[in-house]
Amino acid sequence: MSPSQPRQNRVLPTGEIVRHAARGLFMGNRGCLHDAEGFLGTARWRSTLWITCKTAFKDRRRQLMAPGRYTELFFLDEAVALAAGHRPCAECRRTDYRRFLASWADGNGAAISKAGEIDRALHTARIEPQTRTQRTYRSDIGALPDGAFVRLGSIPHLLLGAAAYPFADYAYGPSVERPANGVVDVMTPLPTVNTLSAGYRPFLHPDVTQ
């Protein structure tokens, strides 16, 4: 791989993994998806454990896309990671993970105490088994919480207050007015939307922070 060529490890709200020069505010992984030369194959996950991590933790250093190691993925912010089907890491983001767990239990009507249970529930909600692509669902936009991603037209938008921020080219564009009602395709998995509705607040990029 050319040193000047961006790696294919930037994640979109659709869950797709693309090449882009920008890194983003969070890292994460889904297992080892790359070969010895650092190129992705056809697999987009190797386990149901999809996490979102800090980009710096306890002075640890990693060689990006080292052979046989997990593929480092990057997200513009946590709302993008949640839309793609990830959850907070229980090690490097312990406080956030506990907040997520508490809101998950409140929002989904079950006291889930193990990360594996959350991962299995998320995997069912985020992936269409036949196509192995992102699963979406339909909901009235007025019932959705801040931090959720929806499609307005064909463009992913982040909902925040009275605004909706379009996402394109690994960045947020200028906000538009959020529709007061109407049925939309929701990209963020339903259990995660329930978690947001119960009070979990994701870390957002400064371009959209109110």
Side-chain angles (χ1 to χ4, degrees):
M1 179 180 294
S2 168
S4 62
Q5 183 180 16
R7 296 179 183 272
Q8 187 182 356
N9 61 359
R10 276 53 169 175
V11 183
L12 306 181
T14 59
E16 297 172 276
I17 306 173
V18 301
R19 298 184 186 278
H20 201 282
R23 187 174 76 167
L25 303 180
F26 287 91
M27 189 189 81
N29 83 84
R30 306 173 183 177
C32 183
L33 310 179
H34 62 277
D35 62 18
E37 283 72 45
F39 292 97
L40 267 62
T42 58
R44 290 298 176 264
W45 67 87
R46 294 293 185 186
S47 76
T48 59
L49 192 159
W50 296 18
I51 56 175
T52 309
C53 301
K54 295 180 177 180
T55 57
F57 182 63
K58 292 187 175 180
D59 296 323
R60 295 180 185 175
R61 297 290 184 270
R62 294 182 59 86
Q63 175 190 340
L64 289 181
M65 290 189 170
R69 305 298 297 275
Y70 72 73
T71 302
E72 295 85 357
L73 303 174
F74 293 91
F75 311 90
L76 182 65
D77 64 10
E78 190 177 10
V80 170
L82 293 176
H86 289 243
R87 60 145 174 99
C89 174
E91 182 187 13
C92 67
R93 299 184 60 207
R94 189 66 178 174
T95 299
D96 293 334
Y97 172 74
R98 287 175 173 167
R99 289 194 301 111
F100 186 87
L101 191 66
S103 293
W104 175 287
D106 290 343
N108 292 286
I112 295 177
S113 60
K114 296 181 179 179
E117 295 173 330
I118 289 178
D119 295 333
R120 287 189 291 274
L122 275 177
H123 200 67
T124 298
R126 69 192 168 211
I127 296 295
E128 289 286 357
Q130 300 301 319
T131 61
R132 298 173 72 83
T133 56
Q134 185 184 54
R135 169 173 281 175
T136 62
Y137 72 97
R138 304 278 284 170
S139 176
D140 190 289
I141 195 170
L144 296 172
D146 288 354
F149 261 94
V150 303
R151 282 195 181 93
L152 298 180
S154 61
I155 305 298
H157 283 70
L158 171 70
L159 302 181
L160 187 62
Y165 289 84
F167 185 98
D169 195 29
Y170 206 71
Y172 290 108
S175 67
V176 299
E177 184 177 358
R178 171 179 174 165
N181 51 57
V183 176
V184 293
D185 284 323
V186 185
M187 305 170 69
T188 307
L190 177 57
T192 304
V193 169
N194 293 339
T195 302
L196 293 170
S197 294
Y200 185 78
R201 294 293 175 262
F203 190 91
L204 301 178
H205 193 274
D207 285 350
V208 300
T209 301
Q210 293 184 330

